[in-house]
């Protein structure tokens, strides 16, 4: 079968590997029907120091083809959405709703908690260890729910939702979203779903700004840095926003997020961290900081129900579709900001 390998910085290939099989009683094997490239994949793609070669991908949608004897929540033939990492679902962290701290956490494409190899999600088939904790059965879906809508739940929609939840978004909130990638756009959608009255998206790319408005942004600010902070304050008043979703992780994004938060407000940080928090500024303005690795598996039941019955359509963040064989072009396009998020078909 085919799987995606990052062989060197900005060098992606599709290689033939053996088809995965059930090894442990808690395993499932999933035939991938749709997968995608994540913005976080680009850090490794750009040479962030990860050991190479690396088997890529952690977001996918698929149909179960086989399960181990101990698996009880999914069966062959079930359409399933996975959590973006393998989790047990039973340890104290999972029970508390923070599966990112699972004691048996592992990542697709790396050895599992038992030291056995796995392939990444950008593959034709994936062995999913700890299937009961990691996979969620979709069940019946309306005809207007697309694979893209379901695929988005495996990471980006849940991560954008986490940013909004961590920032305390509620009915009547004013919100600023820092970041116009798929997570930032998902945060716009999440903020409006949670009742935000006004959502300001920071974006200097016309196509992304247009999509942000389509997803619910009431305003778009193209400026960056101090000019961006001034533009937000001009829109919302000198104090700034009640809640800010930081979806980039860079120092500029973190500084901007804190600067546009009103005294007593909150920032939800979900961008892959490459920055230092300005603790003194947070302290002096009584700004709360939350967020972290998104507990997507804990949000999955709620968000899946919203997709199936509530009209939530997060698949709109995908703006390009390619066959898995052309995955290198998908990485190139996202790296060049020619695409927001690329969906891949095995």
């Amino acid at each position: 079968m085919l799987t995606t390998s990052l062989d060197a910085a900005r060098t992606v290939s599709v290689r033939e590997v053996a088809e995965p099989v059930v090894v442990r009683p808690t395993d499932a094997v999933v035939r991938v029907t749709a997968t995608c490239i994540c913005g976080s994949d680009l850090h490794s793609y750009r040479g962030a120091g990860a050991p190479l070669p690396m088997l890529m991908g952690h977001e996918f949608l698929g149909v179960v083809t086989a399960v181990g004897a101990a698996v009880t929540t999914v069966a062959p033939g079930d359409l399933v959405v996975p959590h973006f990492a393998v989790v047990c679902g039973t340890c104290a962290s999972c029970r508390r709703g923070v599966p990112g701290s699972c004691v048996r956490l592992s990542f697709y494409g790396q050895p599992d908690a038992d030291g056995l190899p796995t392939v990444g999600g950008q593959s034709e088939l994936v062995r999913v260890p700890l299937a009961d904790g990691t996979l969620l059965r979709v069940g019946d879906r309306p005809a207007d729910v697309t694979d893209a809508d379901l695929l988005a739940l495996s990471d980006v929609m849940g991560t954008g939702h986490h940013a909004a939840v961590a920032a305390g978004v509620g009915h009547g909130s004013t919100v600023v979203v820092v970041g116009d990638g798929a997570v930032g756009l998902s945060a716009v959608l999440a903020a409006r779903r949670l009742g935000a009255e006004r959502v300001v998206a920071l974006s200097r790319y016309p196509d992304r700004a247009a999509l942000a408005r389509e997803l619910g942004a009431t305003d778009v600010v193209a400026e960056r840095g101090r000019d961006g902070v001034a533009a937000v304050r001009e829109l919302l008043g000198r104090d700034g926003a009640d809640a800010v979703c930081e979806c980039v992780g860079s120092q500029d994004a973190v500084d901007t997020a804190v600067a546009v938060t009103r005294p007593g407000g909150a920032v939800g940080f979900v961008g892959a961290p490459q920055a230092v928090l300005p603790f003194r500024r947070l302290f002096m303005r009584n700004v709360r900081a939350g967020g972290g690795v998104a507990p997507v598996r804990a949000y999955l039941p709620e968000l899946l129900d919203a997709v199936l019955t509530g009209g939530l359509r997060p698949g709109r963040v995908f703006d390009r579709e390619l066959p898995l064989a052309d995955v290198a072009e998908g990485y190139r396009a996202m790296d060049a900001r020619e695409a927001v998020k690329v969906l891949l078909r095995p």
Side-chain angles (χ1 to χ4, degrees), residues 212-264:
R213 288 189 182 277
E214 180 185 330
L215 295 173
T218 56
D219 305 90
V220 174
V221 166
E223 295 85 354
R224 296 290 182 94
R226 292 182 178 179
D227 291 340
V229 172
V232 169
R233 289 179 175 172
E234 185 174 344
L235 285 171
L236 300 182
R238 181 174 178 81
D239 277 350
D242 301 320
V244 178
C245 301
E246 191 286 308
C247 303
V248 181
S250 69
Q251 193 65 58
D252 285 348
V254 166
D255 290 343
T256 296
V258 174
V260 298
T261 308
R262 67 164 173 79

Side-chain angles (χ1 to χ4, degrees), residues 57-315:
H58 55 267
E59 301 166 281
F60 57 96
L61 175 74
V63 176
V64 175
T65 62
V67 297
V71 175
T72 61
T73 62
V74 299
D78 286 344
L79 180 65
V80 291
V81 179
H83 182 246
F84 65 81
V86 174
V87 294
C88 73
T90 58
C91 71
S93 292
C94 287
R95 294 197 308 271
R96 292 187 187 113
V98 282
S101 299
C102 175
V103 297
R104 303 202 70 200
L105 180 76
S106 66
F107 297 94
Y108 305 106
Q110 300 179 21
D112 65 18
D114 294 320
L116 300 174
T118 64
V119 296
Q122 293 164 12
S123 303
E124 293 182 311
L125 293 160
V126 178
R127 180 178 71 88
V128 180
L130 305 175
D132 282 342
T134 304
L135 300 175
L136 182 64
R137 179 178 177 272
V138 173
D140 296 331
R141 62 166 168 170
D144 63 335
V145 173
T146 67
D147 283 356
D149 291 323
L150 296 171
L151 176 59
L153 298 181
S154 65
D155 188 351
V156 288
M157 184 62 221
T159 299
H161 178 73
H162 187 49
V165 170
V169 176
H171 289 283
S173 295
T174 57
V175 179
V176 172
V177 176
V178 181
D180 62 358
V183 171
L185 293 166
S186 297
V188 170
L189 188 57
R192 291 309 297 260
R193 176 176 172 268
L194 292 172
E197 181 176 325
R198 196 167 187 184
V199 177
V200 181
L202 271 57
S203 177
R204 59 182 175 179
Y205 295 92
D207 56 338
R208 298 178 185 224
L211 182 54
R213 288 189 182 277
E214 180 185 330
L215 295 173
T218 56
D219 305 90
V220 174
V221 166
E223 295 85 354
R224 296 290 182 94
R226 292 182 178 179
D227 291 340
V229 172
V232 169
R233 289 179 175 172
E234 185 174 344
L235 285 171
L236 300 182
R238 181 174 178 81
D239 277 350
D242 301 320
V244 178
C245 301
E246 191 286 308
C247 303
V248 181
S250 69
Q251 193 65 58
D252 285 348
V254 166
D255 290 343
T256 296
V258 174
V260 298
T261 308
R262 67 164 173 79
V267 185
F269 294 97
V270 299
Q274 309 156 57
V276 176
L277 282 178
F279 283 107
R280 181 173 178 81
R281 188 173 183 87
L282 292 167
F283 181 85
M284 296 304 295
R285 292 170 61 82
N286 276 286
V287 170
R288 303 183 305 282
V293 177
V296 170
R297 185 61 182 85
Y299 294 137
L300 263 177
E302 172 191 348
L303 295 177
L304 176 60
D305 182 67
V307 166
L308 297 178
T309 67
L312 179 65
R313 295 292 178 265

